[in-house]
Amino acid sequence: MNETSTDQRTAGEDSVARTYEVVIVGAGFAGLEAAKRLGRAGVDVLLLDQNNYHQFQPLLYQVATAQIALSTVARPLRSILHRERKHVTIRTARVVAINAAKKTVTTADGVRYRAEILVISSGAEPNFFDTPGAEEHAYPLYSVDDAARLSSALLGALERASANHDHSTNQNFTVAVVGAGPNGVETAGAIAENIRDVVGKYYSHSFASSCAVHLVDMVDTVLPPFSQTSQQYTRNRLEKLGVKVHLGSAVSEVSDTDISLADGTKIDAEIVVWAAGLKASQLLEPAGLTTGRGGRIDVAKDLTAPECQGVYVLGDAANIVDAKDRKLPQLGSVAKQSGRWAAENIRADLTGRPRREFKFVDMGYMAMIGRGQSVAELTPRRYQVQGMPAFLGWLAVHAGLLSGWQQRAAAVVSWARDYLTTSRPHAVIYRPEAYEIARYARTDDSSTV
Ligand SMILES: Cc1cc2nc3c(=O)[nH]c(=O)nc-3n(C[C@H](O)[C@H](O)[C@H](O)COP(=O)(O)OP(=O)(O)OC[C@H]3O[C@@H](n4cnc5c(N)ncnc54)[C@H](O)[C@@H]3O)c2cc1C
């Protein structure tokens, strides 16, 4: 299906560098899956991403807490798609504008590409809900870069707090995690486990006992989509790990020293992790598509944007309702399956066959709390599993979902090491600037420098 591609290197307002059968914006779960399927079928694809790698978001919190290496969650796109390279062209470029009606995409370096069929799978970005100080002082956890920054900031804050502790200034290492969904629960649990098992071992037990983790959410439960039994189990386990859970009050302000809650509570926090919500990528609204809930595009059941012929919107960028009328959440499984389904529908478009409505296979969901402690609710019937079986299931599912056998092997080795020894060989400074800021911020005690 290559012959429709035309090279048109021309200048001027309406010029495009090249026309492709399919242009895909974003190589996350959705875009990558679509590119793979289309490339294998011989469709001429341009895949654009601002990074030269695919990132595996579900394990970012483990990078931030030094449980696994950064290279485990970021795999180069050219390595993933090397078998499809004849048909899939990869460009590392930030897309700055999309024109859905004309099916053109413009990158930051000024190059414009035209598609016969355009796929928008640019994901989401953190939503700070206009909370004063949040964007400035909190650390989001949405990308590899975020995870590297947070990891270095946590190490920097630990160094400073431990130096102050040695000088008996009583300054604690305190982290607040905002958002008690799966991402916030997993992050808070991992930091609390690090304090208990790793800080005690590598610094001192008296210092570890002066450290604290707070988990905050405006709703009155942890893990809102889960059953009450799983929620209760999760809260108990978090509290046993030492996490202080504050529910039912929204964060009203974030500063560099604390967070304020709407009920008047102030919590000291040197590091604030923002896991409170997402909004669709800012590329969507100016693209000329009508946005719905969360700034996402309400797509038709065949995953196309209703008002534009030949435009698909997938994964976190879309509000997807499947063939069974289920409103699907923003999950990796939904994104991946939507990418696969869209590839089939695109092939149908190119060969004059009718498109089919998206049939989502619901395997349920799971969340990790800590070593040997997870919750899972499986299949549409939501069979509940907790503790060690859910923990082993979580590890197996996430190892299986990772891209590449080297990444899978590295994750399994890290998890086995963590389970048996609680050592942290990945506690290295990826981002010196974040480490330095956290290390020296808020201190007027020159002895810590
Ligand atoms: C911390 C975290 C933990 C999660 N844990 C789980 C979990 O355990 N299980 C689960 O099922 N789901 C989980 N999710 C949700 C899941 O990761 C997402 O639903 C999924 O990644 C969405 O896939 P996507 O392809 O739509 O978008 P993404 O995976 O976000 O991919 C979007 C891609 O678009 C690129 N992009 C964005 N803007 C531009 C631009 N302007 N120019 C060029 N490229 C651009 C990005 O670089 C990225 O590669 C988690 C999400 C997060 C943030």
Side-chain angles (χ1 to χ4, degrees):
M1 295 188 199
N2 247 337
E3 59 279 6
T4 54
S5 295
T6 49
D7 215 342
Q8 318 170 350
R9 294 186 191 285
T10 51
E13 254 277 288
D14 278 332
S15 68
V16 288
R18 185 170 164 183
T19 299
Y20 289 81
E21 279 185 306
V22 179
V23 172
I24 301 177
V25 180
F29 283 115
L32 184 61
E33 194 65 21
K36 250 192 226 168
R37 300 264 159 174
L38 290 168
R40 277 179 208 161
V43 178
D44 175 38
V45 175
L46 171 67
L47 178 63
L48 293 161
D49 201 291
Q50 59 201 352
N51 302 315
N52 76 335
Y53 53 82
H54 166 70
Q55 60 190 11
F56 189 76
Q57 288 172 336
L59 293 181
L60 289 177
Y61 84 93
Q62 296 201 350
V63 174
T65 53
Q67 290 181 28
I68 59 174
L70 196 144
S71 56
T72 307
V73 299
R75 186 171 173 218
L77 291 170
R78 289 188 192 280
S79 159
I80 301 173
L81 292 167
H82 73 280
R83 284 204 190 89
E84 292 79 17
R85 66 186 180 280
K86 260 185 156 174
H87 300 289
V88 179
T89 304
I90 298 166
R91 290 274 173 271
T92 303
R94 193 164 60 82
V95 171
V96 291
I98 296 174
N99 185 326
K102 291 186 177 168
K103 285 183 279 200
T104 58
V105 165
T106 309
T107 54
D109 49 6
V111 180
R112 191 170 340 172
Y113 300 96
R114 177 171 294 134
E116 288 174 25
I117 295 176
L118 177 62
V119 177
I120 305 175
S121 48
S122 49
E125 51 194 61
N127 192 349
F128 294 99
F129 302 104
D130 295 325
T131 310
E135 194 161 358
E136 203 183 337
H137 299 296
Y139 290 83
L141 191 48
Y142 192 72
S143 63
V144 166
D145 193 50
D146 291 341
R149 256 180 4 107
L150 176 57
S151 165
S152 299
L154 286 168
L155 292 169
L158 255 181
E159 287 301 322
R160 179 169 56 76
S162 114
N164 282 340
H165 186 75
D166 294 345
H167 291 88
S168 307
T169 57
N170 256 349
Q171 190 162 21
N172 297 330
F173 169 75
T174 314
V175 180
V177 179
V178 183
N183 185 13
V185 162
E186 289 176 345
T187 308
I191 296 173
E193 223 171 41
N194 273 359
I195 289 172
R196 189 192 63 187
D197 301 335
V198 186
V199 174
K201 181 169 154 189
Y202 290 110
Y203 291 78
S204 73
H205 289 290
S206 83
F207 173 51
S209 59
S210 75
C211 300
V213 183
H214 299 266
L215 178 65
V216 180
D217 204 305
M218 62 187 289
V219 299
D220 55 11
T221 179
V222 296
L223 298 183
F226 286 67
S227 67
Q228 265 190 3
T229 321
S230 299
Q231 290 168 350
Q232 198 51 51
Y233 174 88
T234 302
R235 185 170 181 165
N236 286 344
R237 296 289 142 176
L238 284 170
E239 287 175 343
K240 278 210 168 114
L241 280 172
V243 178
K244 298 180 170 77
V245 181
H246 311 258
L247 299 173
S249 191
V251 173
S252 55
E253 193 170 353
V254 179
S255 80
D256 62 345
T257 56
D258 54 40
I259 58 172
S260 308
L261 306 188
D263 66 6
T265 313
K266 257 189 195 298
I267 301 170
D268 271 353
E270 305 172 64
I271 300 284
V272 179
V273 183
W274 195 262
L278 297 172
K279 59 181 180 191
S281 144
Q282 288 178 10
L283 283 173
L284 297 183
E285 202 164 2
L289 295 164
T290 311
T291 53
R293 188 169 40 93
R296 296 179 285 267
I297 307 299
D298 295 331
V299 289
K301 286 181 179 169
D302 59 10
L303 303 171
T304 57
E307 65 269 76
C308 284
Q309 277 281 335
V311 177
Y312 287 77
V313 190
L314 309 177
D316 278 8
N319 289 319
I320 302 178
V321 178
D322 77 349
K324 289 186 181 164
D325 276 329
R326 294 175 294 189
K327 284 184 184 164
L328 303 180
Q330 280 62 55
L331 282 178
S333 50
V334 176
K336 204 165 177 165
Q337 289 184 41
S338 71
R340 203 174 301 157
W341 201 272
E344 288 308 313
N345 276 347
I346 290 168
R347 289 182 64 198
D349 288 342
L350 294 172
T351 51
R353 287 180 286 121
R355 290 190 287 263
R356 289 165 58 227
E357 292 185 345
F358 180 39
K359 286 189 184 143
F360 175 63
V361 181
D362 182 0
M363 304 298 284
Y365 32 67
M366 37 184 40
M368 169 76 86
I369 305 151
R371 213 172 291 121
Q373 301 168 2
S374 296
V375 285
E377 303 200 348
L378 305 174
T379 78
R381 290 183 184 272
R382 300 289 179 253
Y383 293 114
Q384 291 171 28
V385 191
Q386 291 160 1
M388 187 53 88
F391 173 73
L392 294 174
W394 189 98
L395 297 182
V397 166
H398 285 77
L401 286 174
L402 269 168
S403 171
W405 68 266
Q406 289 186 66
Q407 282 71 9
R408 283 185 205 126
V412 170
V413 168
S414 297
W415 292 332
R417 187 216 57 243
D418 176 52
Y419 195 80
L420 298 171
T421 71
T422 68
S423 67
R424 287 289 179 274
H426 306 300
V428 294
I429 312 297
Y430 296 117
R431 292 282 183 278
E433 68 292 352
Y435 174 84
E436 294 302 319
I437 290 167
R439 188 168 174 221
Y440 298 130
R442 292 178 61 195
T443 185
D444 41 20
D445 176 0
S446 58
S447 62
T448 63
V449 177

